[in-house]
Amino acid sequence: MRTVLPGKPQAKLQAVCTTSWKGKRIVAYISGNSLVILGGPHTLIQTIYHESSTVLDAVAIDEATAKIAVCSGNTTYIYRPYGWKEGILKWSLQFSFDAEDRTVNPCTLSWGTSEELLVGSSTLKLFQTVKKEILIWSRLLSSPAKLALFSHDAELIASTAKYDQLVKIWRRLSYGSDDVRFDFSYLSHPSTVTGMQWRSAAEHDQSVAHVLYTICVDNRVRIWASTDPHGLQVLQLWADIDLQTSIQPRHLEPLGQIEERYVFFIDAHDFLRITGNATKNASSQGKESHVLEHLREVAARNTEICVILDNRGHMSAWALEKVGNKIRVPGDIINIAHIESLCVPFPNSTAGSDCYANIVGFAGQGNDSVWSLLLHDFEGKITWLEARIDELFDPSPGRACLHVMAHWTGHDGPIKKIVRNVSGGTLISRTNDNEGLIWKQRQTKAGTELVRRSSIVSPDHIHRTCVIDDGDFVANLHHESLSVWDVRSPLATKVSSSAFDIPGKLLCLLQLPTLEESSSTRHLAALSSTMDGIIWQLDFRQHPKDLVAERENRCYSIDEFCRFNLGLEDDLAFVLPIDPAGSTSSVTEFLDAFARDVALSYTQGGIVRTWTSRVNAGDKSVEWLATSTISTGIEKPSLASGSSIRKVALVDASRNGLTIWDSRSGQLEHDEQFASQEVIGDLDWSSTPDDQSILAVGFPHRVFIFAQMRYDYTEEGPAWAPIREIRIRDSTPYPIGDSTWLGNGDLVIGAGNQLFMYDKAIATSDDMISDLSIPIHKHSFVDLFDVVAFLNGPLPLFHPQLLAQCILAGKFSLVQKVIIRLNGLLKFFTEGDELESYLKLSIEDFFTDSEEMSITSRKEMQSSFADFSLEDDPVVVTEELAITLNENLAKISVPNISSREQIHLADIVECVAISEKHQRSMDDNAIRYFVFFRQQVLRQKQVSQLQVGVTWREMTWALHSGSQEILVDLVSRHFQGRTLWHHARESGMFMWMTDITALRAQFEVIARNEYTKTDEKNPIDCSLYYLALKKKNVLLGLWRMAAWNREQSSTQKLLSNNFADPRWKTAALKNAYALLGRRRFEYAAAFFLLAGNLRDAVNVCANQLQDLQLAITIARVYEGDDGTVFRKLLEERVLPLAAFEGNRWLATWAFWMLGRRDLAVRALITPIHTLINTAEAPSQQAKSYLSTDPALVVLYKQLRDKSLQTLKGASQIPPREEWEFVIQTARLYDRMGCDLLALDLVRNWVFLQPVKAQLPPSLGEIPDPRKMMRRRSSLVVNDLPPKSPTFGRKPPPKVFEEPSTNSLLDNFGF
């Protein structure tokens, strides 16, 4: 936490107190109905709220026990400390009691000895508070006490009333709770007593002579002491000091300025200690000074110090020697310092103003030589000031100084709303009482702080607030009017207002962007629940910005500019302004999707829209445009927030579910459900300077800060993660009212009447930081923006995610270059060395067409490596190189990647080496499949319980590979020739094998391995597989050998029958249903196959076993790829599942298996549910960013040029849709950190060129899809179905036509 604004202190004489307890400084003050306890300038220990709405009147701390007493009217609360030994000092209510006065008056409090508490109001009452309150003495007063204070030993009490010129001194005559008696005498003053203070002792049980300081309206300090023990009065006047004449300024003050005087005292024991500490510190540093020597001489005479200040920066210090001596000589009061230009933030004093400030001083702890002041400004602020004692009393010009450590101020009521301006440098906090405080962000040496600039007190209810431009003006929207306030002075003034009448409930007030920033006019918009709106024009032309004297003569105008209606008929729930985040985009004259968003609306049905606008000054109108529309599927959302960099957060009706959307693409990026007791109350957006989004999610007593992360399609990692948790329950029991971000990344939280400002520093010990594996380099704190930047932005070339995407993009040779270069650099790498992100490789390598790289000869690769590789380095990644590199990766911490990513990098290196070994027999698609298959296998070794196989993406690559035979061999060899079904499911081999004969042969291998996987060789394990192969006799033979199985006889007898006979078919079905009842699902599917009922067998595999791959495989093995059941399974099960999940890889695989290659291409771009007839709406998963894998563009480019059917499918995709697909993929690459791949994509992409039909459509002419290609290719397979004969035209000859030589050469770039 950078700073805390604990609340506005009460304007009471006893509103603040402090003491030192067990070596810890404790400060307590009252604000509204809350007690605030602090341990330092920025250390809030605890806030205690009282249920009653009445404000507190006084607070006092017991020096001996650290008990705190506060009072409100006649009720007194006693709090005792606990948790000191455990290091968590807090206070809890011990008890409360009522003073039982007949009249309710503000009371005064003072602690005595032995936990005695003096409560003064209309009556002086003394209570014993050890376990419960016990009244031990009481005396009715003629006038309610303003102050009643115990002396340090509780022998004397000094009391005075409001406007009283007498101080009553009560002398204790007896001790003990049974018989406590006091007598009293008076100290007469010529004018009203405004303050008084007893001299303190070094220790609470130490005995010192009684000395009382009193201050009067006549600007004199009087020192009272017991100079005559036998006199009639307990105390006698020892001396007085004229505050007015004590300071003689060297310069005349301006007329009309009131010279206020303020005073504080330094007790002799404190002055002696801190002067001694200063001397020791100066001696150790060799910095002795004449000022310190002078102060040491003064302190040696055991003097009290009276310090007098004025509000013009003058200070005069007086030493009081031998206070209490009966005879005072002139040298007993001497001036020891006179200081000019001392900066103290006293309240502004002008003629006719009523200001007051109280000063509480105390010495630093331990060996400190610091003197601290708490300056209580009755206008509502406490300032903590500090100075070394030699700095404070240094008379040299410009040397004396008081350092401002903190300002404590704020509201005295609960904060309801916090609104910032666009730049985040000004904000306004507002309460339910229509009070608003304007805060300005200010940079200091210690960091950022919030400075109170102005306050607004509105007589009308404030419905919405908008901070205009830099924060010089604030607009408040009331129920029937709009008011504009000038907030450049401490008390804001209303400069103009405008009444209005609008249908519906007002929802939002926002400032519209201005094309010309230098213009003197601004436009505000208000929208209602009926989507009706009003635009006001604010004219500031007539104000000279810095001429304060002319402010009263300025004329500001608010005119109704126009009215509008957005024309939406749906059930609008709310409209709110967009949170400004990221770099400020320039405002243009164009109204399009690239314009800056200004508002967000959402409906009860979960439809979210973002809006931009353009003001037309000429015809006095405003145009609105919906820049995005997202159908979230979330019914009755309770909360939403949008950022200007196109991110939207939405909370569901239960307020427990959070979703984060990219409004530009309409994709779901994050979905999280919190516990039922965790109610989301606030959403606030911010971003790094590089436009990387940050979201603060507010709960009643804590805030989670989420940061966007790079997209990860290989491991499907989260796109957002919590990086910080802020808890406020330890500081205040009040729930969070609102929060907002400042422009520099600090977060301001309002809870109760307090503002907490948290800076960007995050402790590295935080578990969230540890989970993200962020390199911290032994730092205690990391910057929030640095953490988010590490989780985003461009990746180094050797990052495993970038290498994986390069493999998918067909840049296998480039991956080998990177690995070889990394190996060469790590050979001589030592801890602390820099490792360049691009490894000094040429960026141009990324822009080389992947096809050209794949056909590059080994000789060309070797020559390309000559300029940077070492002589011993191979030109390809061999297994020996992989072993060497992985050994170095195990020993060296590579910069810019985490330890987990380093493990993944080692996996990729090993996979690339194995793929290179088989590269001569594998095409690019086979390499894509095999690299990720091997990577998945390595992950399973690292995480034993991980049993997830390859995804449909890898299966699709293998489906389009011409090297399936070698792939099957490599997968089988990986499982040592003992491939079982769960191995086959992990590899997906039966999804991508296209040769049905080879598929059945491999399935028979699976059947044999399932039979022999156990020592007992149970035929039940392989029944489903042999029956799918229609090899009942083989299964029967296996049952003959299973003599140990108790089911042998009955099963063997059953299998011996002819299942073409309806009787035995029925028997098999009865057994199948019986097995279903026993939940033996796999065996039941086998009996369905025995009965010839393939459809039921497939349904059991898909539904009961939840094994879609097994269902597909059984159908393919049993009846082939053209079978009715297999095609229905794809059409009725697989494609609807793909549409529901948004799985484009599964959809394109299914369409390809159905022979619909045109739809297989379209499914890569077009929404899947538009290609099939399905009544089921897509799920949230279908809207996820994971449904738009950037590798889809690689497959699309590959399939588009493969055959005439695929070209036909590509031709049915509108050019605009293809363009958006490519641009969106580039954005995905950018979000993944693969900026170079994004640049390569947009640089090398070739769009199809539209071709018009040469004949009218009535003749049925379909244009040749090959004409859409920019480079003609003879290798495009003609797989279009034959067209029916048309009138006047002959069907084309069904013979192979030899392609021309030019066509072949053209295909190879010649």
Side-chain angles (χ1 to χ4, degrees), residues 141 462 494 570 724:
L141 300 176
I462 299 176
K494 184 163 72 170
D570 47 14
R724 188 180 187 183

Side-chain angles (χ1 to χ4, degrees), residues 802-830:
L802 180 56
L803 294 179
Q805 291 301 320
C806 286
I807 293 172
L808 290 174
K811 299 181 181 296
F812 193 72
S813 301
L814 177 64
V815 171
Q816 296 201 62
K817 281 186 179 184
V818 172
I819 292 174
I820 293 169
R821 168 50 66 94
L822 181 63
N823 177 63
L825 293 175
L826 290 186
K827 285 181 181 179
F828 310 102
F829 186 85
T830 58

Side-chain angles (χ1 to χ4, degrees), residues 1038-1054:
L1038 297 178
W1039 273 107
R1040 291 194 183 108
M1041 294 184 288
W1044 55 270
N1045 195 316
R1046 64 181 182 178
E1047 299 178 3
Q1048 182 200 28
S1049 176
S1050 59
T1051 307
Q1052 185 178 348
K1053 183 178 178 181
L1054 179 65

Side-chain angles (χ1 to χ4, degrees), residues 1194-1206:
V1194 181
L1195 182 62
Y1196 171 74
K1197 183 179 180 182
Q1198 184 183 121
L1199 295 186
R1200 185 184 69 178
D1201 304 342
K1202 195 166 188 176
S1203 71
L1204 291 184
Q1205 257 202 77
T1206 58

Side-chain angles (χ1 to χ4, degrees), residues 524-663:
L524 299 181
L527 287 93
S528 73
S529 56
T530 60
M531 291 305 271
D532 289 295
I534 304 177
I535 306 294
W536 290 278
Q537 179 171 293
L538 281 62
D539 194 348
F540 299 121
R541 278 181 295 185
Q542 301 183 18
H543 83 275
K545 188 165 185 177
D546 298 320
L547 300 180
V548 179
E550 297 184 15
R551 181 170 298 160
E552 296 181 358
N553 299 324
R554 297 178 190 166
C555 177
Y556 308 95
S557 65
I558 303 178
D559 299 313
E560 185 174 312
F561 185 71
C562 68
R563 297 201 174 207
F564 63 91
N565 185 285
L566 293 183
L568 296 178
E569 301 296 333
D570 47 14
D571 48 347
L572 180 70
F574 211 83
V575 183
L576 64 156
I578 289 288
D579 281 353
S583 55
T584 304
S585 58
S586 59
V587 181
T588 66
E589 59 182 345
F590 301 105
L591 184 68
D592 51 29
F594 299 99
R596 184 198 306 174
D597 289 342
V598 296
L600 177 144
S601 67
Y602 60 92
T603 68
Q604 298 290 352
I607 297 177
V608 177
R609 294 181 177 89
T610 56
W611 301 86
T612 187
S613 66
R614 179 175 63 185
V615 177
N616 298 321
D619 57 0
K620 282 197 170 184
S621 65
V622 173
E623 296 177 80
W624 292 86
L625 174 68
T627 55
S628 66
T629 301
I630 310 171
S631 180
T632 65
I634 299 173
E635 294 292 329
K636 297 181 179 179
S638 57
L639 202 62
S641 181
S643 78
S644 56
I645 50 178
R646 306 296 173 89
K647 301 293 179 186
V648 173
L650 200 65
V651 179
D652 63 11
S654 67
R655 291 208 168 207
N656 303 130
L658 170 70
T659 54
I660 302 176
W661 303 77
D662 185 317
S663 63

